[in-house]
């Protein structure tokens, strides 16, 4: 309830951003605004999430939903199919997250929801193909880098997590029932990737010091994702959603989380000004995603350490909101939109809401 006032403010900023077409907008049928394709995708996601959480039916939300029609979805999915590197993996991961949130929203008709299914399946399989290549043995050095070093759009943890969430949701959603048996083998493959990542993180000492298995506190080499935080988010959410004790390495991971609770990073501090790397504006938010995921898992497991992660989440959200207020005072609207408001508010929505 305390977050409602911020969600209302964020709604206005995000909705306004969607209406500002980006430099490449003529290529796309739906995701034209919010500066670029992936930012527009997670802007749509954020509006549906806010609507679901606040149980709010709005005319502007329904106008957004109307854009997700058969013709437009076919154009978008065809574009993704015909451009092999387009928005892989980051943008496609957000598309799948949008699909889930769209289906959960109580204010969208069943017909509208079913329209998104086929394009989502196409997107999921394209992302799956991309990730399968990443996990081939000859690509191990790049795989290591994309998991432990990369903090931008090529970070694989975020992509794998949303692919897993989509597959898991699809097995429970009637609109995807005809694909149920197909998804079981795909889910098994994604689970094998997560196990591979877990093993990699636990054996990195043999690969050298260039790979990070701790939180990155050096802002000079930081992006909007902290790679270690995204790894923890991936595995924590996977274990929570799977809800099984049959995973042999679960106990070891839980133990490492409890031990790591003693050394959680402080929120990142930087000036909200043009000289700052604008990707840093997302860092405190995405770290809060991590702490929220870990806290939820540890609480479910009956571990007292969940309280430390919850406190860390709150501190990072507090810092993120302070940055938001500072940015709102800046009068250069072009800078504010290009550097911040076309994407960071969506990250804030993820931090300030829980999945239903």
């Amino acid at each position: 309830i305390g977050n409602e006032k911020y969600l209302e403010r964020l709604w206005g900023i995000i909705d306004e951003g969607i209406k500002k077409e980006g430099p490449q907008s003529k290529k796309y049928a739906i995701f034209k605004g919010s500066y670029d394709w992936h930012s527009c995708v997670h802007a749509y996601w954020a509006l549906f999430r806010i609507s679901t959480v606040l149980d709010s039916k709005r005319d502007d939300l329904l106008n957004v939903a109307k854009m997700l029609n058969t013709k437009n979805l076919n154009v978008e999915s065809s574009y993704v199919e015909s451009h092999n590197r387009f928005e892989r993996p980051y943008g496609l991961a957000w598309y799948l997250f949008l699909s889930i949130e769209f289906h959960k929203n109580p204010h969208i008709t069943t017909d509208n929801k079913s329209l998104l299914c086929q394009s989502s399946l196409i997107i999921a399989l394209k992302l799956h193909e991309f990730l399968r290549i990443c996990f081939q043995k000859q690509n191990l050095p790049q795989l290591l880098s994309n998991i432990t070093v990369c903090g931008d759009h090529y970070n694989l943890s975020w992509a794998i997590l949303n692919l897993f969430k989509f597959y898991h949701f699809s097995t429970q959603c009637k609109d995807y029932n005809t694909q149920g048996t197909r998804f079981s083998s795909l889910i098994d493959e994604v689970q094998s990737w997560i196990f591979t990542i877990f093993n990699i993180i636990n054996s990195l000492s043999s690969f050298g010091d260039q790979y990070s298995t701790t939180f990155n506190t050096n802002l000079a080499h930081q992006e909007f994702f902290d790679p270690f935080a995204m790894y923890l988010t991936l595995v924590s959410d996977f274990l929570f959603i799977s809800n099984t004790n049959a995973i042999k390495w679960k106990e070891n991971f839980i133990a490492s989380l409890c031990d790591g609770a003693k050394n959680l990073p402080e929120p990142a501090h930087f000036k909200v000004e043009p000289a700052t790397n604008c990707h840093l504006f997302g860092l405190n938010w995405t770290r809060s995603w991590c702490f929220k995921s870990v806290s939820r898992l540890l609480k479910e497991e009956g571990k007292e350490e969940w309280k430390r992660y919850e406190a860390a989440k709150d501190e990072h959200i507090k810092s993120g909101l302070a940055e938001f207020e500072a940015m709102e005072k800046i009068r250069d609207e072009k800078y504010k939109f290009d550097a911040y408001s076309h994407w960071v508010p969506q990250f804030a929505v993820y931090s300030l809401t829980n999945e239903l």
Side-chain angles (χ1 to χ4, degrees):
I1 295 176
N3 293 334
E4 284 188 12
K5 66 174 184 178
Y6 282 110
L7 293 177
E8 291 288 353
R9 290 173 64 187
L10 292 168
W11 175 284
I13 294 170
I14 295 167
D15 187 48
E16 181 181 352
I18 285 176
K19 297 169 185 174
K20 296 180 180 180
E21 294 193 357
Q24 303 294 319
S25 62
K26 293 182 179 180
K27 296 180 180 180
Y28 317 130
I30 303 173
F31 306 111
K32 296 172 174 288
S34 302
Y35 192 81
D36 50 32
W37 193 88
H38 57 256
S39 297
C40 195
V41 171
H42 53 67
Y44 272 53
W45 168 86
L47 294 185
F48 289 119
R49 169 61 69 86
I50 294 173
S51 168
T52 300
V53 170
L54 298 184
D55 193 20
S56 174
K57 183 177 182 179
R58 309 168 188 237
D59 290 339
D60 42 3
L61 178 79
L62 299 180
N63 290 333
V64 168
K66 289 177 182 177
M67 291 294 292
L68 301 174
N69 58 56
T70 301
K71 179 182 177 181
N72 286 346
L73 288 169
N74 285 340
V75 172
E76 293 288 354
S77 57
S78 295
Y79 189 87
V80 171
E81 280 193 287
S82 60
H83 294 75
N84 291 332
R85 300 294 298 178
F86 179 72
E87 291 290 353
R88 291 159 173 80
Y90 181 79
L92 301 196
W94 272 108
Y95 190 102
L96 298 181
F97 205 18
L98 163 63
S99 179
I100 295 172
E101 200 62 47
F102 186 75
H103 275 79
K104 289 181 177 180
N105 189 281
H107 306 297
I108 307 301
T109 66
T110 302
D111 289 342
N112 277 357
K113 290 180 178 180
S114 63
L115 291 174
L116 194 56
C117 292
Q118 189 57 42
S119 71
S120 299
L121 292 172
I122 293 171
I123 299 298
L125 294 176
K126 287 300 177 182
L127 180 57
H128 196 112
E129 289 174 5
F130 173 87
L131 292 171
R132 182 179 287 149
I133 293 172
C134 293
F135 277 85
Q136 292 174 354
K137 289 184 178 179
Q138 63 269 30
N139 292 330
L140 180 60
Q142 187 63 48
L143 175 65
L144 286 168
S145 179
N146 285 355
I147 293 171
T148 66
V149 179
C150 180
D152 60 12
H153 307 91
Y154 294 99
N155 181 275
L156 295 186
S157 293
W158 177 244
I160 296 167
L161 174 59
N162 282 289
L163 185 61
F164 172 74
K165 284 183 176 180
F166 175 78
Y167 285 157
H168 184 269
F169 178 78
S170 68
T171 62
Q172 303 176 2
C173 178
K174 61 182 179 61
D175 291 328
Y176 297 98
N177 276 350
T178 56
Q179 302 288 334
T181 54
R182 185 182 193 184
F183 280 138
S184 61
S185 62
L186 295 175
I187 290 175
D188 287 344
E189 187 172 14
V190 174
Q191 289 177 339
S192 73
W193 295 340
I194 297 172
F195 182 48
T196 297
I197 293 172
F198 174 80
N199 281 333
I200 286 174
I201 295 294
N202 279 276
S203 60
L204 272 181
S205 58
S206 62
F207 291 100
D209 296 334
Q210 70 268 39
Y211 302 112
S212 175
T213 56
T214 59
F215 293 101
N216 184 357
T217 56
N218 184 354
L219 294 185
H221 300 93
Q222 187 59 280
E223 290 280 344
F224 54 85
F225 283 149
D226 182 318
F228 186 65
M230 295 314 298
Y231 157 73
L232 295 182
T233 305
L234 165 64
V235 181
S236 296
D237 278 358
F238 165 69
L239 291 174
F240 183 86
I241 294 169
S242 299
N243 192 26
T244 176
N245 291 318
I247 300 173
K248 295 180 179 179
W249 47 272
K250 178 178 180 179
E251 186 176 336
N252 290 338
F253 181 74
I254 297 292
S256 69
L257 293 178
C258 292
D259 186 59
K262 305 169 188 175
N263 298 297
L264 298 181
E266 296 290 327
H269 296 287
F270 42 81
K271 293 182 179 180
V272 178
E273 59 182 20
T276 301
N277 170 14
C278 64
H279 276 184
L280 288 176
F281 298 143
L283 180 58
N284 283 322
W285 293 115
T286 59
R287 277 199 184 144
S288 76
W289 303 354
C290 166
F291 300 137
K292 178 168 67 171
S293 295
V294 174
S295 173
R296 181 176 69 165
L297 176 64
L298 292 183
K299 188 174 184 180
E300 180 76 11
E301 294 295 317
K303 305 296 184 182
E304 284 296 309
E305 286 81 1
W306 75 268
K307 297 176 183 178
R308 293 194 179 189
Y309 284 95
E310 189 74 8
K313 179 205 74 174
D314 291 342
E315 285 299 310
H316 280 72
I317 288 177
K318 182 179 178 181
S319 291
L321 290 174
E323 294 154 18
F324 170 71
E325 297 293 356
M327 185 61 74
E328 285 293 277
K329 295 177 183 178
I330 291 180
R331 295 184 178 181
D332 185 342
E333 294 298 327
K334 184 179 186 306
Y335 163 72
K336 186 158 62 174
F337 178 74
D338 291 352
Y340 188 92
S341 63
H342 81 272
W343 67 285
V344 181
Q346 293 93 287
F347 282 33
V349 171
Y350 192 14
S351 295
L352 295 172
T353 59
N354 293 317
E355 295 180 51
L356 302 179

